[in-house]
Amino acid sequence: MEKQKFYITTPIYYPSDKLHIGHTYCTVATDAVARYKRLKGLDVMFLTGTDEHGQKIEEKAKEAGVTPKEFVDRIVEGPKGVKDLWKLMNISNDRFIRTTDDYHVASVQKIFKKMYDKGDIYKGKYKGKYCTPCESFWTESQLVDGKCPDCGREVQDAEEEAYFFRLSKYADRIRNLLEDTDFLQPRSRVNEMVRNFIDPGLEDLCVSRTSFSWGVPVDFDPGHVVYVWVDALFNYTTALGFLNDTYHDYDKYWPADVHFVGKEIVRFHSIIWPAMLMSMEMPLPKHVFGHGWLLLDGGKMSKSKGNVVDPYILAEKFGVDALRFFLMRTFPFGSDGNFSNELLIQTINTDLANDLGNLVSRTTAMVGKYFGGKLPEGCRTWAAPESFDTELITMASGLRARYEEAMETFAPHKALEEVFKVIQRANKYIDETAPWVLAKDMEQNGKRLAHVMYNLLEATRICGILLSPFMPESCEKLFAQIGADTQAQTWDSAAQWGALSDSAAVTKGENLFPRIDMDKALDELEALEAQARAEAKAAAGPVVEVEPYAEEYVDFDTFCKSDFRAVKVKACEAVKKSAKLLRFTLDDGSGTDRQILSGIHKWYEPETLVGKTLVAILNLPPRKMMGLESNGMLISAVHTEDGEEVLHLLMVDDSIPAGAKMC
Ligand code: MSP
């Protein structure tokens, strides 16, 4: 039988800034759902990637002094770049698209032309406001207090010849899609979209720019590049081979089952994206899910200080699985949540170290101690169950169904809550059965004790299967400790109480989730972050700045009056009582020694300059410093490094005679 298909995507990331834990959130959620669907036996396509065009990237590359392609290559492919981060976080994407990939660029050009030929894209004049960081056009009425409604930053006036997409034509169909179907989830996002964008009237959308060039060129009108969101949204189809020959899965996987996106880009995915697909007469994705944001003290993650948000540091300190788990367990997926390092440590300690870790280590230790690591065969059915046996078995047997219900509605936090109810129930079962008391009289209670142990192992196994999409590596270790063959831990067996062999070899292995000392860990985090900052600074090199260039011209005759000459240092000494000044005795070729004072002691020891050939301007009026006369000025090159002034005297070839004119 052909497997059911499931196509899931994350947003494609802007490779402009370092990704923080907030960015990681969506990709981890997508990964957990993709792994869950694979566990259920579906044929999954999980796509992620990078959104590499646009003015913001062009500007950042310019600042960094590299081409835009060099800039994005470094952030996507380079050390600790986007791809490295997903590898570290154990992200199981099946494909990775870069919007600078040739096949994508060619497909976008064809898509743009198709909508143009259809009359849905037309040429007009764009007049409005543009928010550069968000790459978004806004009409006056959409601004909030004159600022970008998404990010609250200043917007710029923009007017240029541009292409427009007839978004207005699709307004009614989009309204119906949002209001009458479950296309957009959670439901609260529908009201937001309808009230803010559909009710005020959908205006046509500007879909090309001429003021910068880093984008997909409109191939039938040179000078225009395709608006970055048109380019970006179609990634979901070009990565499957839509209008290209690089991939051949479009018919198999499109339409997508769900796009996971952050709340601020729901507008693009639930209004613009379906309208363009309607124009292209392509099927619409089944769902768009707009998740909430991780905030710091209620504010934006990129802005605030005082918490480590670098996923590399957090994963190094606490482990990848603990971090993945924390993100999914703590924050309801559709709402915003406040991130903090304390909360992360608390969650690890409570859920992973205390509840899950203790259950596994206590159970495996007891099977080791009382049965030498192997329970007697047949023990799964021994001894009459008490009410708490039945309760545990019923809860664990029904767990898969409750978990599935939550996962199918994209509520991973609820699925994990259900798993932890069973883990907590199992820990309580240890207290209720008091195995250490039973063990005192093995002859009398041996069979009962073996049965209790089996129930604990089996409850742990079922929880392990359902936790594996969230913590794949730790669950493999967990299976090894309880003697469960990883290959046999299937979706089906998660609903089969008793699937674990009752004579499996149990070993108490390493502690899966050691308890974390909060104060110590917070201090260590701070130190790790300081170290990472220092390393990044060292890798980037010092910040070098030169003085702004003169805006005014100097006329040629005035310039020619400046008498620059080569001078040779005959003697040089520090001026008494001055920290800065050096006194030079110079041969300027005139036959008479010349004295110049220069405030450069900070950079040069006087004796090192004797014999050097320097450059000086000689026809400045004499000037007195510290009671000594200076007749001219030595020429230096000056810049700053990390804000500190750096100076180099201009030294020329010693074969140049004293007095040679510079012109
Ligand atoms: N390039 C666009 C997406 C194009 S999709 C066709 C983009 N990129 S982004 O890098 O700025 O953001 C990627 C995702 O990270 C978005 O879904 C965004 O909501 C999410 N997040 C960024 N900061 C976040 C938090 N602090 N918390 C949760 N998600 C956050 O938008």
Side-chain angles (χ1 to χ4, degrees):
M1 205 177 74
E2 214 195 330
K3 280 185 174 179
Q4 195 187 331
K5 312 277 181 297
F6 186 78
Y7 179 28
I8 185 168
T9 67
T10 71
I12 49 173
Y13 289 77
Y14 289 128
S16 56
D17 295 308
K18 242 172 100 110
L19 298 188
H20 52 60
I21 192 72
H23 295 111
T24 311
Y25 179 56
C26 183
T27 310
V28 167
T30 314
D31 186 64
V33 173
R35 286 177 185 269
Y36 152 73
K37 293 282 181 178
R38 287 192 202 108
L39 179 65
K40 280 181 78 176
L42 275 71
D43 174 351
V44 173
M45 168 60 76
F46 166 12
L47 173 72
T48 187
T50 40
D51 181 3
E52 304 186 3
H53 289 125
Q55 192 169 4
K56 186 162 66 173
I57 304 270
E58 190 176 271
E59 282 170 6
K60 289 234 169 186
K62 203 166 157 201
E63 268 168 38
V66 294
T67 65
K69 185 67 167 68
E70 283 166 344
F71 182 81
V72 291
D73 278 351
R74 196 176 61 205
I75 299 191
V76 178
E77 312 273 351
K80 292 200 169 181
V82 180
K83 285 189 174 174
D84 268 5
L85 178 60
W86 299 152
K87 208 162 143 196
L88 171 81
M89 293 307 296
N90 210 352
I91 301 301
S92 63
N93 55 299
D94 299 286
R95 207 157 281 172
F96 189 100
I97 185 171
R98 298 183 57 180
T99 56
T100 50
D101 289 340
D102 290 343
Y103 75 88
H104 171 79
V105 170
S107 295
V108 169
Q109 287 176 326
K110 287 181 197 155
I111 290 164
F112 198 87
K113 183 72 170 32
K114 271 190 171 225
M115 291 196 279
Y116 177 75
D117 288 343
K118 189 176 179 185
D120 273 355
I121 285 182
Y122 62 92
K123 203 169 191 178
K125 254 211 162 29
Y126 176 75
K127 235 183 174 175
K129 305 285 179 186
Y130 192 70
C131 175
T132 307
C134 295
E135 313 267 16
S136 295
F137 293 105
W138 300 104
T139 56
E140 204 70 59
S141 65
Q142 288 172 325
L143 302 180
V144 175
D145 299 330
K147 302 214 166 108
C148 171
D150 271 355
C151 71
R153 278 177 278 211
E154 295 291 339
V155 289
Q156 285 87 43
D157 285 326
E159 182 182 325
E160 58 186 38
E161 194 177 61
Y163 287 93
F164 287 83
F165 172 67
R166 284 191 207 284
L167 188 58
S168 54
K169 173 175 160 186
Y170 295 97
D172 290 343
R173 285 178 67 189
I174 298 292
R175 180 189 286 277
N176 294 343
L177 177 72
L178 296 181
E179 287 184 338
D180 303 341
T181 74
D182 62 354
F183 171 76
L184 177 57
Q185 296 175 356
R187 193 72 203 168
S188 55
R189 307 253 177 244
V190 171
N191 309 332
E192 254 169 67
M193 288 301 115
V194 171
R195 205 181 46 237
N196 296 343
F197 301 106
I198 312 273
D199 284 347
L202 277 185
E203 292 171 29
D204 288 353
L205 176 76
C206 181
V207 288
S208 77
R209 298 299 315 259
T210 51
S211 54
F212 62 90
S213 58
W214 182 238
V216 175
V218 176
D219 51 356
F220 56 87
D221 195 349
H224 288 262
V225 294
V226 175
Y227 175 41
V228 67
W229 270 101
V230 176
D231 163 7
L233 286 162
F234 275 97
N235 91 86
Y236 301 130
T237 62
T238 62
L240 299 178
F242 181 66
L243 297 184
N244 68 69
D245 277 330
T246 301
Y247 296 109
H248 303 94
D249 315 291
Y250 177 75
D251 291 335
K252 183 170 170 191
Y253 291 111
W254 192 255
D257 289 273
V258 63
H259 297 308
F260 275 1
V261 302
K263 62 176 185 177
E264 87 289 12
I265 58 173
V266 163
R267 176 171 78 98
F268 298 95
H269 284 83
S270 66
I271 297 177
I272 297 171
W273 179 222
M276 287 194 300
L277 289 170
M278 287 170 187
S279 167
M280 291 289 291
E281 294 167 32
M282 291 161 74
L284 306 186
K286 291 177 200 152
H287 302 292
V288 167
F289 190 98
H291 65 77
W293 270 33
L294 297 194
L295 304 169
L296 282 182
D297 300 327
K300 277 206 158 186
M301 188 148 271
S302 49
K303 296 261 169 70
S304 311
K305 293 217 159 71
N307 270 291
V308 173
V309 296
D310 179 342
Y312 278 98
I313 297 182
L314 296 173
E316 181 186 331
K317 188 81 205 81
F318 304 114
V320 169
D321 276 352
L323 194 55
R324 288 172 58 107
F325 170 80
F326 162 71
L327 292 174
M328 296 296 97
R329 164 81 159 129
T330 315
F331 308 106
F333 195 47
S335 337
D336 288 350
N338 253 321
F339 173 90
S340 76
N341 294 150
E342 276 96 337
L343 187 58
L344 166 61
I345 296 168
Q346 232 172 53
T347 309
I348 294 176
N349 280 346
T350 310
D351 290 344
L352 296 182
N354 261 9
D355 290 352
L356 177 60
N358 263 342
L359 173 64
V360 178
S361 63
R362 284 160 89 193
T363 306
T364 52
M366 289 189 289
V367 176
K369 190 167 165 198
Y370 306 139
F371 297 97
K374 202 166 174 187
L375 297 179
E377 247 181 270
C379 68
R380 89 183 83 179
T381 50
W382 284 350
E386 304 262 0
S387 65
F388 36 78
D389 297 88
T390 322
E391 207 180 306
L392 175 66
I393 294 171
T394 312
M395 248 182 118
S397 308
L399 174 61
R400 195 190 78 170
R402 296 190 297 279
Y403 171 97
E404 184 177 22
E405 197 185 325
M407 290 302 275
E408 289 299 322
T409 51
F410 308 126
H413 59 289
K414 279 197 188 145
L416 287 172
E417 200 179 307
E418 289 301 331
V419 176
F420 272 76
K421 280 185 196 157
V422 173
I423 291 172
Q424 282 149 12
R425 185 68 196 80
N427 273 320
K428 195 170 156 214
Y429 179 74
I430 299 183
D431 300 335
E432 288 162 341
T433 52
W436 47 92
V437 178
L438 295 174
K440 284 189 185 145
D441 185 351
M442 285 302 270
E443 208 166 304
Q444 173 78 17
N445 304 322
K447 281 193 155 188
R448 169 74 183 139
L449 182 59
H451 182 67
V452 165
M453 289 297 121
Y454 180 82
N455 287 347
L456 286 169
L457 290 174
E458 186 55 345
T460 308
R461 182 190 69 84
I462 289 176
C463 292
I465 297 176
L466 300 177
L467 286 174
S468 65
F470 298 90
M471 301 190 286
E473 281 190 2
S474 306
C475 289
E476 281 203 15
K477 289 184 191 158
L478 179 152
F479 293 140
Q481 294 193 7
I482 63 169
D485 169 17
T486 302
Q487 297 307 315
Q489 304 319 310
T490 58
W491 179 248
D492 284 347
S493 84
Q496 288 161 2
W497 180 267
L500 181 71
S501 151
D502 48 16
S503 55
V506 175
T507 29
K508 180 170 169 11
E510 59 169 318
N511 199 344
L512 290 178
F513 302 103
R515 216 189 141 70
I516 295 163
D517 176 332
M518 172 82 78
D519 291 341
K520 196 162 149 243
L522 289 176
D523 286 349
E524 283 167 3
L525 272 184
E526 219 171 278
L528 280 170
E529 189 170 59
Q531 188 190 336
R533 258 201 313 267
E535 279 169 13
K537 201 169 163 206
V543 180
V544 172
E545 282 175 298
V546 295
E547 209 171 284
Y549 297 94
E551 299 214 333
E552 248 179 89
Y553 286 118
V554 56
D555 71 75
F556 191 67
D557 290 344
T558 311
F559 168 72
C560 287
K561 284 182 197 157
S562 310
D563 198 9
F564 290 101
R565 303 276 171 164
V567 291
K568 298 206 182 251
V569 182
K570 292 176 77 175
C572 182
E573 60 184 24
V575 174
K576 283 195 189 102
K577 296 195 181 151
S578 166
K580 289 186 191 165
L581 283 179
L582 293 183
R583 173 175 169 230
F584 287 83
T585 305
L586 301 162
D587 175 2
D588 63 4
S590 65
T592 314
D593 287 349
R594 176 180 291 263
Q595 174 169 290
I596 289 183
L597 302 173
S598 182
I600 59 170
H601 199 169
K602 182 173 166 193
W603 295 282
Y604 291 101
E605 285 309 317
E607 56 280 8
T608 63
L609 294 172
V610 177
K612 301 284 188 211
T613 308
L614 309 178
V615 176
I617 176 167
L618 301 186
N619 60 338
L620 289 176
R623 200 176 147 201
K624 278 224 161 160
M625 289 180 243
M626 304 290 286
L628 298 165
E629 192 170 280
S630 182
N631 292 288
M633 192 175 85
L634 293 169
I635 307 298
S636 308
V638 183
H639 70 277
T640 62
E641 276 184 26
D642 294 334
E644 278 270 307
E645 195 175 28
V646 180
L647 175 143
H648 293 94
L649 272 173
L650 200 62
M651 294 187 192
V652 293
D653 198 299
D654 287 336
S655 65
I656 297 171
K661 183 159 169 71
M662 310 276 151
C663 52

